[in-house]
Amino acid sequence: YLLQKNGVPYQEFRKNTMITGIWDDHDFGVNDGGKEYAFKKESKLLMLDFLDVPRDGDVWKHEGGYQSYTFGQDGKKIKLILLDSRYFRDALQPSKKEGFRYEINEEGDILGEDQWTWLKNELIQSEADFHIIANGIQIIPEEQGFEKWANFPKARTRLLNLIAETKPKNPLLLSGDRHIAEYSRIKSNHLDLPEITSSGLTHTWGEERVEPNKYRIGNLIVSLNFGLLYIDWSKPSIRFEIRDQNNNIRLSNTLW
């Protein structure tokens, strides 16, 4: 964190840009880790200090790193919800099935009851025009064999049902972790929910390979990448771009 914060390019970026976020496993402190990690409380303090979260923020008062921000004025509001999918997540067991790292935890949870209650209130009480829900791991894809919400099907169903029931305006999921980028979307009679996965800035798979995802729209991007969101309040609409290390657009779509 200190090396990053003391880097000249990052210092210049911080001068002109608000920076916030939520951890994934290596920020949390252990690869693919969950609630069993012994130093999760210390990791939370380091993360919040790195992000310069004000000491009077609610996130300092509860367990876990989840928090939310609302930007803009009436009629042009964006709500950013940062979910903590590490601090309370139940354990995963290694899988013997080829191509799969973990067994499915049928009854396991990811968010913990306090965070579930908080999230429901955040969605019910929101007057925002767009809702960006971000966390470390993929929510919609089911078929890949690594970390994902689908390893905890009860929790995944609960999240999708909560979004369908509370009906936040224009919900969008953001995720990372995978060292690839892709656009997934669930569409049903009760739910229309896109997810943008973007990662990473420093390394990716390094070679193309086939990975099924029945919810994917467009190509799977296997290159260094970062994501951008553009909001056009005249419609209103929101568009995403995935750009590579040379700033070339590799994937884009208008979501709403």
Side-chain angles (χ1 to χ4, degrees):
Y1 282 151
L2 288 174
L3 286 171
Q4 176 77 357
K5 218 164 187 179
N6 289 328
V8 173
Y10 194 70
Q11 287 180 347
E12 291 298 315
F13 186 61
R14 289 176 64 218
K15 288 178 183 178
N16 303 306
T17 309
M18 177 187 170
I19 298 173
T20 188
I22 187 65
W23 53 26
D24 196 43
D25 50 349
H26 294 280
D27 319 290
F28 183 58
V30 61
N31 187 53
D32 294 356
K35 68 181 184 181
E36 72 283 351
Y37 181 52
F39 300 106
K40 61 185 182 181
K41 292 184 178 182
E42 292 84 348
S43 286
K44 173 188 169 180
L45 299 181
L46 292 170
M47 178 183 70
L48 297 182
D49 278 337
F50 171 71
L51 293 171
D52 297 311
V53 177
R55 284 285 176 167
D56 60 355
D58 289 342
V59 66
W60 292 96
K61 303 170 187 176
H62 60 67
E63 294 289 302
Y66 58 90
Q67 54 182 318
S68 71
Y69 296 87
T70 300
F71 306 97
Q73 307 300 319
D74 289 346
K76 295 183 178 181
K77 284 186 177 180
I78 303 166
K79 185 158 196 171
L80 173 63
I81 297 174
L82 302 171
L83 295 181
D84 187 339
S85 54
R86 293 292 166 189
Y87 200 97
F88 307 98
R89 199 212 69 196
D90 287 330
L92 284 167
Q93 299 301 320
S95 176
K96 296 179 181 179
K97 184 178 177 181
E98 185 178 355
F100 288 82
R101 184 173 291 177
Y102 298 109
E103 295 291 339
I104 302 299
N105 188 332
E106 297 288 351
E107 296 298 319
D109 191 22
I110 292 178
L111 299 185
E113 286 305 318
D114 287 346
Q115 189 174 187
W116 279 115
T117 299
W118 170 85
L119 175 58
K120 184 175 183 178
N121 289 333
E122 290 290 315
L123 294 174
I124 289 175
Q125 298 172 10
S126 176
E127 298 178 349
D129 302 279
F130 291 101
H131 293 79
I132 300 171
I133 304 170
N135 90 131
I137 59 177
Q138 288 187 310
I139 294 172
I140 290 179
E142 298 176 338
E143 295 154 276
Q144 52 99 340
F146 303 94
E147 283 202 288
K148 57 187 182 292
W149 273 71
N151 289 336
F152 299 86
K154 189 173 181 179
R156 180 179 180 272
T157 298
R158 183 176 181 179
L159 178 63
L160 297 179
N161 286 344
L162 179 61
I163 295 172
E165 291 165 7
T166 55
K167 295 181 172 60
K169 289 183 181 178
N170 302 319
L172 164 63
L173 306 176
L174 297 184
S175 58
D177 180 59
R178 296 297 323 288
H179 314 294
I180 50 110
E182 63 180 342
Y183 165 35
S184 307
R185 192 162 191 157
I186 285 180
K187 286 190 176 184
S188 69
N189 293 333
H190 307 291
L191 186 65
D192 182 2
L193 185 63
E195 176 176 353
I196 310 302
T197 301
S198 177
S199 59
L201 282 170
T202 59
H203 58 287
T204 62
W205 287 352
E207 59 182 18
E208 298 282 347
R209 64 175 184 249
V210 176
E211 180 176 277
N213 175 6
K214 62 185 176 182
Y215 300 106
R216 183 186 300 131
I217 299 173
N219 295 327
L220 178 68
I221 306 301
V222 182
S223 64
L224 296 180
N225 66 82
F226 62 96
L228 295 168
L229 296 178
Y230 299 88
I231 295 169
D232 181 352
W233 290 112
S234 67
K235 298 189 185 302
S237 66
I238 187 167
R239 178 172 62 88
F240 82 88
E241 290 180 355
I242 299 296
R243 292 177 176 250
D244 63 21
Q245 65 268 41
N246 298 314
N247 210 31
N248 297 315
I249 298 174
R250 300 293 304 278
L251 186 64
S252 68
N253 208 310
T254 297
L255 302 175
W256 303 108

